[in-house]
Amino acid sequence: MRMLKRASALLLKRGIATYQSRLCRNDSLFRVHSSVSEALAENRPVVALESTIITHGMPYPQNLSTAKEVEAIVRAEGATPATVGVIDGVVHVGLSSEKLDHLARCESSMKVSRRDLPYVISNGLSGGTTVSATMIAAHRAGIPVFVTGGIGGVHRDGENSLDISADLTELGRTPIAVISAGVKSILDIGRTLEFLETQGVCVATYGGSKNFPAFFSPQSGFTSPYQVCNPEAAAKLIASTLSLGLQSGVLLAVPIPEEHAAAGKLIEEAVQAAVTEASVKGITGRDVTPFILQKVNELTEGKSLQANIALILNNAKVGSQIACALSQQMTERKFRGKTNHHGKHSDSDIVVIGGINVDFIAKGKAETLIFGQTNPGSVCLSFGGVGRNIADSLSRLGRSPLFISATGADSHKHNGVARLEEQSTATYCAVFTASGELSVGLGDMDIHQQITAQYVSQFEEQLSSATLVCLDGNIPVSTIDYVCSIAKKHDINVWYEPTDSDKACKPFLSDAWKSLSYSSPNLAELRAMNKTLGLPTPEMLLSSVEEVLSVAVALSRPLLEHLHCLVVTLGESGVLVCGEHEAGSVNLQPRKQKKKRKLCAVHYPALTLTADETMNVSGAGDSLAGALMAGILQQRDTDSCVRMGLLAARLSLVSPHPIAPTLTYESVEPNKVKTQEWPKPSFMWID
């Protein structure tokens, strides 16, 4: 029950949170600990932590005790720690105590950077993740804040050796905020800062000055371009970077605590001696840093290790405070302007009415599951509902949807969502075999029937003033009929998302469908719509794209007597857009009046994606629909709207989340996203 309460709390706020993945094909290579996924799902702050400090930065047992102490500090500040590591070829985001101990004791652990990930995973090896590899894992999991000791940089004499840490290039291409004690003092700090500038990385010192710290010392002789003085200012900087969609990171340099800085001069002298010894012994590359740190620890009789631990603990405290401030600011930003001080909804140009689900996805380790006994496997919590997913997509793309739904007494009350004391939030439990085949599924979706016309009618003012209303097929027929009657009365454009073949027929049981403007069925759902109207439907045994398109056009034609536009999703064959002809394409913009039209169809091939790249298929269709709606509301041309939809669908497919955490307006802007050359859409007339 507590899990449902936590889950339901986030589901209600128009679907803007980050969610744990449903069953995905590559879950054997990438695992998010349940504590991390739950925190992300509830929009609570999470702090990513690297693990080379465990495997290569300190000796045992100081490495283990420090790792646990760092995690404890993160928790004490109100955030959830997510230590990243690779164990037996699997990238883990969030480690149990047993796995932390395993990494701390393992003598064969590799140091895993971006370049090493494929090899380590393919060979089933274990290792500690560097800054670059941790950034990759954190970004993939949807964690925006990462705490480390110090980052790598340009090595001394790097202008000749070109020995430059992958940490720097990763900061230039992965939108993560890295909180560190600056750059390790054994490096060329000046050239490192120049390289970061070239990579477009925003660098700021945290605290009272712009002095850029040098790991053990609060001053390096260089200054940062910028300065942030507290967690709120740092969070605003991070939020701005993420909102701009720059796809580059932020480096926040935190000076070592003053009480430990006094040892800086002694440690720096030891560093110089260690650097000289490393050069004499011919130690190069990734072996340099561990050698120097160990040598410095010997020369300073343990004082450098104490200072190292102190700065890491301090970074964890500061980073957690920043993560908490960022979480709060992002939540406030998403809801600012959506309600006024009376708690009433502000005007929304789009209203979404549909379901919210809490899903429990279980996957067995064996191909054959034995009923009547416990089978080994994994269980994860995910959040769904077509309406929720579409509202989530729209919110991430800059819209402010009013989301109308219903949950049970196991949730909290929010505007637009009915909380029913004697009902339970919709839940679904699916059990899959090791290969991903569904073994059994159980669903409790009765609460969707409580999204009644009577409840929705209290939002008639918002419905009648909306530019677009989206209905998901989970709601009752009577509610669909009611909304369609309002649409007819006020000339509102309604988008119907069928959800499946059985529910696709709901508006077509009466004349309500004639008040729809848009629908986005797949071929089977389109066939069900025609069948409900008593129209002849062709067989679905199709062997070529040409046959698929021919059947889709034939099934679309009778519906276009009243619908403005049909977006027929064809899976790997792409999307077919059917509707009114305008300027050599289909007019997607909301119609102002019904008139006799010349009809056409445009086929857009899908973006290429390999099976290995595909992680999650649960949210692609909802992402496509949400981005299409966002494009229409922005009055984009048809090509741009469809391409926004295809890009959003691709982000969903390659993400472990149904709605990708990286989904932003910038990430689906066709003119800004680097992709393969867009295939030319094919045009056809509809008789």
Side-chain angles (χ1 to χ4, degrees), residues 670-684:
N671 298 324
K672 296 183 179 181
V673 176
K674 294 180 180 179
T675 184
Q676 67 267 42
E677 186 174 343
W678 287 100
K680 186 177 181 180
S682 57
F683 176 91
M684 61 198 82

Side-chain angles (χ1 to χ4, degrees), residues 487-561:
K488 184 177 181 180
K489 179 180 177 181
H490 296 281
D491 196 22
I492 304 163
N493 289 275
V494 178
W495 185 303
Y496 183 63
E497 180 62 35
T499 71
D500 63 40
S501 296
D502 291 335
K503 296 166 186 170
C505 67
K506 286 184 177 182
F508 299 88
L509 296 171
S510 68
D511 283 344
W513 74 275
K514 296 179 181 179
S515 298
L516 300 177
S517 296
Y518 302 90
S519 188
S520 45
N522 60 29
L523 207 53
E525 293 161 352
L526 184 59
R527 184 173 184 270
M529 293 173 177
N530 278 258
K531 193 171 182 180
T532 304
L533 292 174
L535 299 172
T537 54
E539 294 299 323
M540 301 295 286
L541 300 174
L542 308 173
S543 58
S544 67
V545 174
E546 289 73 20
E547 289 181 352
V548 169
L549 295 178
S550 177
V551 168
V553 167
L555 292 171
S556 298
R557 178 64 186 86
L559 304 188
L560 291 171
E561 288 295 327

